[in-house]
């Protein structure tokens, strides 16, 4: 018990929580944008996987980190637009289009990997570049806080900036208000003169950028190479985080910390427990499912209570009349 408390109270533990949160936070932001624009996008998982490999290949062949980053971002937007074309323009079933992208990503990344490296497992044969760790002046010298918040990968800081800018855009700019209007009531938005498709594709572009950085963090930040299937369900997990946050990027960022927390706990379980490894690996997903069920149950109870109070108030007003 003492070793467990020491583990949880360690600044290193909370530093790892923030690091583990990064890819899921970016995926959750992508899911939030889709919810706000009225799109159900299952392709977040596949988009992240393709971008993770694209960044590695582009940086390896150009030996320029920023060209690799830009190529992955462009690829993220292109994949999101391809999904949007089939789901929104061609009116295909959104869930089917998302599954198609994920299947293409799963097989396609392995095919490209074998073509370039001869390996089905990883891209270690490619000398790709990685994002640096950033030590923030002054902050790095502060005990505890410096350990937790300084020394993170550059993509982690970029992720926080993307969340803040996107939240500001959604609630404080004309574009954001229009995207939300299109998502809430497309017919009314169209009647008001807004282009539904244009604003949904704008949301898809932001989704693609967010997925790109999420994928690159995994292959060019947390790890130094691409590994087959390395997204490992984080794209699907973002849908659960989106359900918790109900499309709000700030709340989505905070809910993503739950995944980071549960994922970091698995390190403790591997070190100090005798639980089966497969069960330990499933722990973050089981934890999030339990939390989501509890939150949804509380929301239903609150909704029922509001309905009951509203009906009582209506009854009282009728009796008074």
């Amino acid at each position: 018990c003492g070793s467990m408390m020491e583990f949880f109270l360690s600044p290193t533990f909370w530093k790892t929580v923030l690091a583990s949160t990064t890819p899921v936070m970016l995926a959750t932001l992508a899911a939030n944008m889709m919810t706000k624009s009225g799109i159900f996008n299952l392709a977040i998982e596949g988009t992240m996987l393709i971008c993770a490999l694209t960044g590695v290949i582009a940086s390896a062949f150009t030996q320029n980190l920023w060209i690799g980053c830009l190529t992955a971002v462009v690829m993220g937007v292109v994949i999101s637009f391809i999904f949007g074309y089939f789901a929104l323009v061609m009116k295909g079933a959104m869930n089917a289009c998302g599954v198609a992208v994920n299947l293409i990503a799963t097989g396609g990344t392995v095919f490209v990997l074998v073509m370039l490296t001869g390996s089905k497992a990883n891209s270690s044969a490619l000398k790709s570049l990685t994002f640096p760790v950033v030590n923030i002046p002054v902050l790095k010298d502060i005990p505890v806080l410096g350990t937790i918040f300084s020394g993170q990968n550059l993509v982690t800081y970029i992720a926080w900036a993307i969340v803040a800018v996107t939240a500001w855009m959604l609630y404080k700019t004309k574009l954001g208000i229009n995207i939300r209007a299109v998502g809430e009531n497309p017919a009314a938005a169209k009647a008001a003169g807004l282009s539904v498709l244009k604003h949904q594709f704008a949301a898809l572009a932001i989704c693609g950028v967010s997925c790109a950085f999420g994928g690159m963090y995994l292959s060019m930040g947390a790890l130094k190479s691409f590994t087959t299937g390395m997204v490992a369900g984080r794209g699907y997990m973002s849908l659960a985080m989106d359900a918790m946050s109900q499309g709000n990027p700030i709340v989505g960022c905070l809910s993503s910390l739950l995944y980071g927390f549960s994922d970091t706990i698995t390190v403790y379980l591997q070190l100090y427990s005798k639980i089966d490894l497969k069960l330990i690996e499933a722990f973050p997903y089981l934890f999030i499912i339990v939390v989501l069920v509890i939150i949804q149950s509380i929301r239903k109870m609150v909704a029922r209570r509001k309905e009951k109070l509203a009906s009582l108030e209506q009854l009282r007003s009728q009796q008074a009349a």
Side-chain angles (χ1 to χ4, degrees), residues 23-38:
V24 176
M25 181 171 69
L26 286 161
T28 301
L29 179 63
N32 290 157
M33 285 305 302
M34 295 296 89
T35 295
K36 288 299 184 185
S37 61

Side-chain angles (χ1 to χ4, degrees), residues 2-272:
S3 62
M4 183 171 73
M5 286 303 297
E6 188 179 327
F7 182 77
F8 287 145
L9 293 175
S10 165
T12 307
F13 171 81
W14 292 104
K15 181 175 185 173
T16 309
V17 167
L18 290 182
S20 298
T21 298
T22 300
V24 176
M25 181 171 69
L26 286 161
T28 301
L29 179 63
N32 290 157
M33 285 305 302
M34 295 296 89
T35 295
K36 288 299 184 185
S37 61
I39 302 170
F40 179 65
N41 188 357
L42 267 175
I44 291 171
E45 176 90 4
T47 307
M48 289 176 70
L49 191 61
I50 292 170
C51 292
L53 180 59
T54 301
V56 165
I57 293 170
S59 68
F61 279 93
T62 63
Q63 284 301 296
N64 187 304
L65 176 63
W66 299 111
I67 291 177
C69 176
L70 180 62
T71 306
V73 167
V74 171
M75 179 61 78
V77 175
V78 168
I79 296 298
S80 293
F81 279 3
I82 289 171
F83 166 83
Y85 174 75
F86 287 104
L88 303 176
V89 178
M90 301 300 290
K91 305 296 183 184
M94 289 185 186
N95 53 357
C97 293
V99 170
V101 171
N102 291 340
L103 290 174
I104 291 168
T106 302
T109 50
V110 175
F111 175 76
V112 172
L113 196 61
V114 172
M115 290 286 289
L116 293 175
T117 69
S119 169
K120 290 183 180 179
N122 58 63
S123 66
S124 55
L126 296 174
K127 294 182 179 179
S128 58
L129 305 182
T130 56
F131 288 94
V133 168
V134 178
N135 288 303
I136 302 172
V138 181
L139 180 61
K140 68 179 181 180
D141 299 320
I142 301 174
V144 183
L145 290 178
T147 304
I148 296 171
F149 294 106
S150 181
Q152 294 283 354
N153 190 273
L154 176 61
V155 179
T156 297
Y157 300 115
I158 291 173
W160 296 346
I162 291 174
V163 169
V165 170
T166 304
W168 172 80
M169 183 276 295
L170 268 177
Y171 294 99
K172 299 295 181 180
T173 68
K174 185 178 179 181
L175 175 62
I177 292 167
N178 289 347
I179 287 173
R180 286 161 50 211
V182 163
E184 287 172 16
N185 195 326
K190 191 174 181 180
L194 296 178
S195 170
V196 174
L197 267 182
K198 184 178 88 172
H199 287 92
Q200 286 182 323
F201 270 87
L204 280 165
I206 296 168
C207 171
V209 172
S210 192
C211 287
F213 278 104
M216 284 189 289
Y217 176 81
L218 293 171
S219 62
M220 301 167 68
L223 297 176
K224 308 303 179 187
S225 64
F226 177 85
T227 304
T228 302
M230 70 187 316
V231 179
R234 290 176 177 87
Y236 298 120
M237 185 57 63
S238 70
L239 301 176
M241 300 299 152
D242 178 54
M244 286 185 201
S245 59
Q246 294 185 320
N248 187 306
I250 300 299
V251 180
C253 174
L254 296 174
S255 63
S256 299
L257 285 168
L258 288 171
Y259 175 85
F261 177 76
S262 59
D263 188 51
T264 308
I265 287 176
T266 61
V267 177
Y268 174 85
L269 295 175
Q270 289 173 7
L271 291 173
Y272 302 107

